[in-house]
Amino acid sequence: MTKPTYVCYCDKVTEQDIEAAVLQGARTVKQVIQMTGAMSHCNCAVENPKGT
């Protein structure tokens, strides 16, 4: 099993979650955020292993 690739570490949103949102009809960044919950608990400096 491969490790998920996170786009949003704070909310554990993966590339696959983003793709699924688009396939389900999301057409804007705002719609993707609403459908996935990405970027709703921004704490990237702590959660992201890259520190950004």
Side-chain angles (χ1 to χ4, degrees):
M1 184 172 185
T2 61
K3 191 173 181 180
T5 303
Y6 290 107
V7 174
C8 177
Y9 285 88
C10 301
D11 294 303
K12 304 295 187 238
V13 178
T14 65
E15 287 181 355
Q16 292 80 13
D17 296 328
I18 302 297
E19 290 172 1
V22 171
L23 290 172
Q24 292 172 9
R27 295 292 174 252
T28 66
V29 172
K30 184 176 180 177
Q31 289 173 336
V32 169
I33 291 169
Q34 289 172 334
M35 293 175 79
T36 64
M39 301 186 324
S40 57
H41 299 95
C42 292
N43 195 14
C44 291
V46 175
E47 299 292 332
N48 187 338
K50 296 177 185 174
T52 58

